[in-house]
Amino acid sequence: MCKSDNIYLPNLATIEAIVDETPDVRTLRLVFQDEQVRENFSFRAGQFAEYSSFGFGESTFCIASAPTRKGYIECCFRSVGRVTESLRRLEVGDTVGVRGPYGNSFPIEEFFGKSLVFIAGGIALPPLRTVIWNCLDLRDKFKDITIVYGARSEADLVYKHELKEWQERDDVRLVKCVDPGGAGPDFDGKVGFVPTVLEEAAPSAENTIALVCGPPIMIKFTLPVLERLGFTDDNIYTTLENRMKCGVGKCGRCNVGNVYVCKDGPVFTARQVKAMSQEF
């Protein structure tokens, strides 16, 4: 971590590379301009940052790259408003602001010796991608790794090159799917909604941790599937980014009951999520 005395002052970063994941989803690879910040910046999988386009504001995204990979960070976002549209107009070599890292993280060390099941839908793969690569970079620490990922259509699948890489690995089981009507003639995955495909894949719950991220409707129907498969609420983790704005617990926009998602989260167990007052 690298902090300034001013909690609202961002570090400057240069866009080193741009990848268009889908027609409206883009990944930015960022390199901090200050050498000391670049060398000392650290984070844990699951933490997030505030990314600013100067003159337009800032938006909250997870840090999508793995903490095991040094020298840069990556963020992935969909163009849905003023700030993200401004970020999308930036080019390689342009400057953005980065505040963070903020929030808690996935307790990866507690997962050592266990199998992992990652379940994601649509644009919600980036918050799990950081954990996936973190764990793959420490592959000998874990048993089986299963990834169940789906989107509305083939075009909406993000990180297509990485999905191909995971599919070709002998030490990863990838199950990808698209919604009914979303598959082209050459699609090599399954057709169906993520919860249904997960139940068909039926990963073992024995000594296994499940990590889930997706639209609320997907999570709503995924949690009962995991319960039927034998997963307990304490062995299911998810990450929330709803309405986070300031990142430091000052604005109150992410408040859910007595929980501040930006400070107490964004990573929670299913037991913690169910205890929150807001329906999820």
Side-chain angles (χ1 to χ4, degrees):
M1 180 180 294
C2 192
K3 289 185 175 180
S4 163
D5 291 336
N6 184 342
I7 62 173
Y8 299 109
L9 182 66
N11 290 303
L12 301 182
T14 300
I15 300 175
E16 184 181 64
I18 295 173
V19 176
D20 285 326
E21 308 291 352
T22 75
D24 62 349
V25 175
R26 172 167 286 188
T27 292
L28 302 181
R29 175 170 290 192
L30 306 172
V31 176
F32 290 108
Q33 295 175 2
D34 185 283
E35 183 177 357
Q36 184 177 1
V37 174
R38 188 164 59 248
E39 292 178 355
N40 295 332
F41 186 88
S42 64
F43 67 97
R44 288 180 57 85
Q47 291 189 293
F48 65 95
E50 303 285 344
Y51 304 86
S52 52
S53 175
F54 297 111
F56 292 91
E58 60 183 7
S59 287
T60 307
F61 317 124
C62 70
I63 301 177
S65 50
T68 44
R69 304 187 176 197
K70 306 297 184 181
Y72 66 89
I73 63 170
E74 291 180 339
C75 67
C76 184
F77 61 93
R78 171 173 283 143
S79 299
V80 293
R82 180 171 178 265
V83 178
T84 50
E85 288 175 358
S86 174
L87 285 169
R88 188 174 177 85
R89 289 194 294 269
L90 299 178
E91 300 177 351
V92 170
D94 286 343
T95 295
V96 300
V98 179
R99 287 198 294 120
Y102 297 125
N104 67 354
S105 60
F106 290 95
I108 289 179
E109 292 78 9
E110 296 179 17
F111 302 163
F112 287 175
K114 299 179 183 293
S115 295
L116 304 174
V117 178
F118 296 93
I119 306 144
I123 188 61
L125 182 57
L128 293 187
R129 179 221 194 197
T130 175
V131 196
I132 292 171
W133 278 121
N134 194 157
C135 295
L136 291 179
D137 288 343
L138 303 172
R139 188 62 186 87
D140 61 337
K141 301 287 188 182
F142 307 95
K143 293 185 178 180
D144 296 337
I145 293 181
T146 300
I147 304 169
V148 179
Y149 171 57
R152 289 183 179 179
S153 68
E154 286 185 73
D156 293 313
L157 293 167
V158 299
Y159 301 127
K160 294 178 180 64
H161 56 296
E162 295 181 17
L163 294 175
K164 184 175 186 296
E165 181 178 344
W166 296 340
Q167 190 167 19
E168 293 173 349
R169 290 182 64 134
D170 295 331
D171 58 355
V172 174
R173 178 191 182 194
L174 173 68
V175 183
K176 64 181 179 181
C177 62
V178 295
D179 293 354
D186 299 322
F187 182 59
D188 59 353
K190 295 182 177 295
V191 176
F193 298 109
V194 169
T196 303
V197 172
L198 170 65
E199 192 154 24
E200 293 173 352
S204 172
E206 184 177 356
N207 197 33
T208 303
I209 300 294
L211 301 91
V212 187
C213 191
I217 190 66
M218 188 207 88
I219 295 180
K220 178 180 179 180
F221 287 101
T222 296
L223 292 181
V225 171
L226 289 172
E227 184 178 350
R228 289 195 293 272
L229 291 173
F231 287 85
T232 65
D233 287 347
D234 291 326
N235 285 336
I236 302 171
Y237 288 80
T238 190
T239 176
L240 310 179
E241 293 184 5
N242 60 327
R243 304 194 309 273
M244 287 196 295
K245 180 65 176 176
C246 71
V248 292
K250 302 295 185 183
C251 72
R253 286 187 57 180
C254 68
N255 173 251
V256 181
N258 63 350
V259 172
Y260 283 85
V261 173
C262 70
K263 296 191 70 175
D264 301 309
V267 176
F268 298 95
T269 64
R271 183 178 302 279
Q272 292 170 314
V273 170
K274 290 179 179 180
M276 293 181 188
S277 60
Q278 177 172 298
E279 184 174 326
F280 169 76

